Amino acid sequence: SAEGMVWEVPAGWMVTGDVPEALLADYRFEGSTPELPGRLTVSMIPGDGGGVEANVARWADQLLVATPSDPSSIVTVSPALPHPMGTVWIVQIRGQYAGPTVPSAMLAAVVTIPDRAGRPYATWFLKLTGDSASVQRAGDALTRVIYSLRPEGTPMPELDLPVDTDADPHADVPDAPPLLRRPAEETE
């Protein structure tokens, strides 16, 4: 928890001891390769956080996404989706970090929480990074973290998320990344 908000983290994901100043939380989970462990970072910036497009461009640069025509690189951004606190965009990026020799990926959520007038009050960033296989396997877990983000003292929302990670439960959402899992009430 931080900044008056709480979220649920999957069992087995470990809090790191030294959280960089720009982050509110930093978790690790076992990846497919010791070269690139799985990582979830949580941060918050007041206002619109620089905007979804600018953050996606910066993240794509970090993953050394060469060109959209490169089949090993992909950048996908969902349309704006409803979140109990506001609006969420899901970002999926596959590329290659400088250093590790394994294919890398990022699955991230940008959650914008409006003020009473509807302007962005705060933007939360939940970024899952690691080797591509580990990030894909952790997609459902990240969705649970995303939809558990809520004010302190608020009960955990009921989430009825699919267990079958090969299914695409949101095929009706145009341009949504295939790793996204949404609560049942959002799909009915």
Side-chain angles (χ1 to χ4, degrees):
S1 71
E3 300 291 326
M5 301 287 277
V6 295
W7 54 89
E8 305 295 319
V9 178
W13 289 23
M14 307 299 292
V15 177
T16 61
D18 297 322
V19 178
E21 187 175 319
L23 302 177
L24 298 174
D26 191 356
Y27 304 93
R28 299 284 198 266
F29 62 94
E30 189 172 321
S32 297
T33 173
E35 188 177 8
L36 189 60
R39 181 179 187 196
L40 170 66
T41 60
V42 179
S43 59
M44 186 276 297
I45 298 175
D48 72 358
V52 175
E53 289 181 16
N55 282 288
V56 170
R58 183 171 44 82
W59 298 337
D61 285 346
Q62 291 170 354
L63 262 81
L64 302 177
V65 175
T67 65
S69 63
D70 180 354
S72 65
S73 299
I74 185 171
V75 177
T76 308
V77 181
S78 76
L81 300 168
H83 183 278
M85 295 298 300
T87 305
V88 62
W89 289 264
I90 306 297
V91 179
Q92 178 182 340
I93 303 174
R94 288 193 312 239
Q96 184 73 46
Y97 281 112
T101 58
V102 296
S104 308
M106 175 187 295
L107 185 59
V110 180
V111 181
T112 301
I113 301 172
D115 64 13
R116 290 189 178 130
R119 296 179 304 254
Y121 169 73
T123 302
W124 287 75
F125 300 94
L126 299 98
K127 293 177 18 184
L128 183 68
T129 58
D131 66 87
S132 294
S134 298
V135 169
Q136 183 167 3
R137 276 196 310 277
D140 284 341
L142 177 63
T143 300
R144 291 177 190 280
V145 176
I146 294 166
Y147 284 97
S148 72
L149 181 67
R150 64 198 186 279
E152 284 185 279
T154 303
M156 172 69 178
E158 292 284 329
L159 298 180
D160 184 19
L161 301 173
V163 176
D164 180 5
T165 58
D166 293 328
D168 187 356
H170 65 286
D172 60 321
V173 179
D175 302 322
L179 298 179
L180 173 65
R181 303 292 189 262
R182 295 186 302 160
E185 67 269 14
E186 299 290 333
T187 60
E188 295 175 351

